[in-house]
Amino acid sequence: MKSALLREYGGPLTIEDVEPNGLQSDEVLVRIVGVGLCHTDLTALKGDVPLPLPAVLGHEGAGVVEAVGDGVSTLAVGDHVVLSFDSCRECAACTSGHPAYCQLFAAMNYFGTRLDGSPTMQQGSDDVHGSWFGQSSFGTHAIASVRNAVKVDKDLPLELLGPLGCGLLTGAGAVLNVLRPQPGQSIGVWGLGTVGLAAVMAAKAAGCETIVAVDMNSDRLAIAKEFGATHVFDPTEHTDLVWEISEHAGGLDYTVEAVGLGSVIRQALETLRSPGTCATLGLQKLENEITVDQGHLLIGRTLTGVIEGDADPHTFIPKLIELWRAGKFPFDKLIQTFPLDKINDAIDSFRSGQVVKPVLLTGEEPQ
Ligand SMILES: [Zn+2]
Ligand SMILES: [Zn+2]
């Protein structure tokens, strides 16, 4: 199998031969068909996540199960799966339906090895750090497990489904699982990458009447409109954005902040009506101190943080697919595909904002 290795923080990634380090009893070997690029991959690529090198990133994989460990009963060879974040499925958070807040989340998603410390991949006698979000799917194959591989129907366009495992689930989950707007309510979304645009689509699907979208990229504002945004704002064109939004859209019941900057979080908080809730999702780096004025919170407002849309991938990914089938979650419009060997070009186009969601194809057709 081949994987895109990160040998030095900053990159570039190099496609190299690697060998899987056996399959544990609950693991599956997945032949990757398509894998999305997500901002957390770039955060790790820069070295802002203490991932040991060499490592393989990629955490929005979709593919076909090629082999299963001896304890696997819920998946079989040939099944089509979408890979999501990993969680233990046993702690209090996991068993109460909140695996994104798993007690072992960091160890299972960011450390580059299995929980027992073993690597999932090797090159000769050298360890290659995999297990990134329980998958490391920038390659022709990935080792995942029954915990984070979600079976999907074979009639779906498998090569496009990977982003359902992280970016799309994050934005849609914040709206549908956490904020839960009622039909007729209002919402604002800051930052129109995959996460923000998924939040806009989910808000429309939930029946929000007023949907405000904010981004500096006019192409993204146009996509947001197509997805149901009723008011769009380029913050560079307004000296007092909070006032402008309140003037044109009224106070908002909910806001979603998918940027992670203090100035943006404050805007998203200040445009809320009272009471109202702002969800912050944007991850800039592991330490990111922000300040807010207590006066903006005291009037019954809530500022909450959400990881991975507070979703259980095993129930939420099928729900998003159902919405897509109904024409209410047209995420495929955000995707531009690249062959795996053009991964560094895909990263450049993603960084520059040219492409909303690059998806790398391994070149092999799903069966
Ligand atoms: Zn857990
Ligand atoms: Zn992600």
Side-chain angles (χ1 to χ4, degrees):
M1 63 191 242
K2 287 185 187 299
S3 291
L5 265 66
L6 175 65
R7 292 198 164 274
E8 218 178 301
Y9 292 128
L13 304 181
T14 51
I15 311 275
E16 300 180 30
D17 286 313
V18 295
E19 304 100 49
N21 180 23
L23 270 191
Q24 293 192 345
S25 72
D26 57 355
E27 288 179 339
V28 291
L29 178 68
V30 177
R31 178 168 59 75
I32 297 297
V33 174
V35 50
L37 254 169
C38 174
H39 275 286
T40 311
D41 294 315
L42 298 191
T43 307
L45 198 149
K46 274 192 299 182
D48 286 344
V49 178
L51 184 66
L53 302 182
V56 178
L57 301 171
H59 63 284
E60 291 186 345
V64 182
V65 175
E66 208 162 73
V68 299
D70 55 18
V72 173
S73 59
T74 51
L75 290 171
V77 172
D79 280 350
H80 289 194
V81 289
V82 173
L83 307 181
S84 192
F85 64 90
D86 203 3
S87 60
C88 79
R89 315 294 296 176
E90 287 173 359
C91 72
C94 282
T95 54
S96 63
H98 303 280
Y101 304 127
C102 176
Q103 286 169 9
L104 295 173
F105 190 91
M108 299 186 85
N109 291 283
Y110 300 142
F111 287 7
T113 65
R114 297 173 172 122
L115 272 186
D116 66 9
S118 67
T120 53
M121 289 178 275
Q122 287 176 317
Q123 247 181 354
S125 55
D126 296 334
D127 291 351
V128 174
H129 293 94
S131 302
W132 172 246
F133 286 82
Q135 50 182 293
S136 290
S137 42
F138 284 162
T140 59
H141 293 77
I143 292 180
S145 75
V146 292
R147 299 182 304 273
N148 71 328
V150 178
K151 189 173 160 179
V152 295
D153 290 343
K154 290 187 179 174
D155 67 329
L156 294 161
L158 184 59
E159 70 281 7
L160 303 181
L161 301 186
L164 290 170
C166 184
L168 294 163
L169 162 143
T170 295
V175 174
L176 300 177
N177 298 331
V178 180
L179 300 178
R180 297 171 167 267
Q182 297 302 302
Q185 285 195 298
S186 57
I187 192 165
V189 179
W190 272 252
L192 302 175
T194 301
V195 172
L197 288 167
V200 169
M201 287 187 271
K204 175 73 178 169
C208 285
E209 210 156 79
T210 299
I211 302 174
V212 172
V214 183
D215 199 285
M216 296 188 291
N217 179 328
S218 58
D219 294 341
R220 304 284 172 97
L221 295 176
I223 300 170
K225 268 190 159 169
E226 198 185 316
F227 285 173
T230 54
H231 302 70
V232 298
F233 294 91
D234 175 346
T236 61
E237 289 176 359
H238 302 280
T239 45
D240 191 345
L241 184 67
V242 172
W243 186 85
E244 287 283 341
I245 291 174
S246 306
E247 180 72 6
H248 292 98
L252 303 172
D253 294 304
Y254 303 101
T255 52
V256 172
E257 182 287 318
V259 179
L261 295 174
S263 56
V264 177
I265 295 169
R266 283 191 290 277
Q267 283 175 356
L269 187 65
E270 290 168 27
T271 46
L272 287 172
R273 65 168 44 127
S274 173
T277 301
C278 169
T280 176
L281 323 181
L283 169 76
Q284 286 285 342
K285 49 187 187 295
L286 289 184
E287 286 178 19
N288 181 23
E289 190 171 311
I290 57 148
T291 55
V292 296
D293 186 328
Q294 188 205 18
H296 289 302
L297 280 174
L298 284 174
I299 48 178
R301 287 172 175 155
T302 302
L303 174 61
T304 186
V306 185
I307 286 181
E308 299 286 357
D310 192 9
D312 181 344
H314 290 274
T315 52
F316 198 62
I317 289 174
K319 185 173 173 172
L320 293 179
I321 289 173
E322 223 173 273
L323 283 174
W324 176 78
R325 282 193 196 274
K328 294 180 175 176
F329 196 67
F331 68 88
D332 48 307
K333 291 183 178 171
L334 304 179
I335 292 174
Q336 187 173 319
T337 59
F338 294 78
L340 178 63
D341 59 7
K342 296 280 183 244
I343 188 165
N344 293 301
D345 295 344
I347 289 170
D348 289 344
S349 75
F350 186 43
R351 267 205 193 112
S352 69
Q354 213 181 316
V355 178
V356 182
K357 175 58 74 179
V359 166
L360 302 154
L361 304 181
T362 58
E364 293 178 73
E365 289 301 312
Q367 289 157 11

